[in-house]
Amino acid sequence: MIRSRSARSGSSGCRVTALALLTGFARPDTRLRMALRNWQQLMDAEPTLLGRYLLQLSCGPAALDQLDTSDLDRLARETAAALPPGTRQHIDLALRIDVRAELRELSVRTLVIAASNDILVTPDHSTALAQGITGSRLTQVTSGHDAPTEQPAAVANRLRSLLNG
């Protein structure tokens, strides 16, 4: 999330005034690279298998425990069918990215939000982001990787706190 405003009245340029990073990473570690490569390979597999894999990676235990087998199978099919165009390119980029050196160049109010039960982008990635960005603040929500879906109020409250000040 980027909050910006015009630097001058009537100017078309924007200046970033606040930044929120949610379940992000600066560089994939071995575990994340493995998960991403598995995702790539499963994109050519049976869609329900891909969907189950993605649900396992993105949902926290509490969210998964609320679903029965028929719900899981339905959501798995829907998840696989809903992958946007460009997913393969997104994964390719995620496998190559390393912005650790650029983190210290950020000089804007930054909130880093970790998801405590995220097994795709584990909370230590958020910790590394926060440590790399001078003056950033690290917070956590109790969810899997898909924090806005699992904990919308908690995520919204943290974003409001950033925007309000």
Side-chain angles (χ1 to χ4, degrees):
M1 164 187 229
I2 299 176
R3 180 180 180 194
S4 63
R5 64 176 174 213
S6 266
R8 296 177 310 199
S9 179
S11 171
S12 62
C14 290
R15 183 174 60 90
V16 174
T17 59
L19 177 66
L21 303 173
L22 177 61
T23 65
F25 62 95
R27 180 184 71 88
D29 60 8
T30 302
R31 189 180 182 297
L32 179 54
R33 279 193 300 275
M34 184 185 309
L36 292 168
R37 286 188 182 116
N38 288 341
W39 183 351
Q40 280 180 320
Q41 290 180 345
L42 286 170
M43 287 180 71
D44 297 323
E46 197 275 320
T48 304
L49 179 61
L50 170 62
R52 284 187 192 131
Y53 177 73
L54 294 176
L55 287 173
Q56 178 185 8
L57 288 179
S58 64
C59 297
L64 285 176
D65 285 344
Q66 294 177 9
L67 303 171
D68 64 26
T69 304
S70 63
D71 288 333
L72 284 170
D73 288 341
R74 178 184 52 77
L75 284 173
R77 287 189 300 275
E78 290 172 3
T79 298
L83 288 178
T87 296
R88 287 181 193 276
Q89 294 84 355
H90 181 87
I91 294 170
D92 288 340
L93 174 62
L95 287 165
R96 294 189 318 268
I97 199 161
D98 186 348
V99 295
R100 292 174 296 173
E102 288 84 1
L103 294 178
R104 65 180 155 267
E105 296 173 19
L106 291 172
S107 60
V108 64
R109 239 173 350 113
T110 302
L111 176 66
V112 179
I113 305 172
S116 62
N117 296 319
D118 191 344
I119 63 169
L120 178 60
V121 180
T122 55
D124 57 310
H125 285 286
S126 294
T127 300
L129 283 172
Q131 290 172 345
I133 301 170
T134 304
S136 67
R137 187 168 58 93
L138 176 64
T139 188
Q140 197 169 85
V141 294
T142 304
S143 74
H145 186 71
D146 193 9
T149 300
E150 286 184 47
Q151 294 292 330
V155 171
N157 287 339
R158 282 157 180 82
L159 294 175
R160 261 189 232 96
S161 75
L162 172 67
L163 297 175
N164 293 332

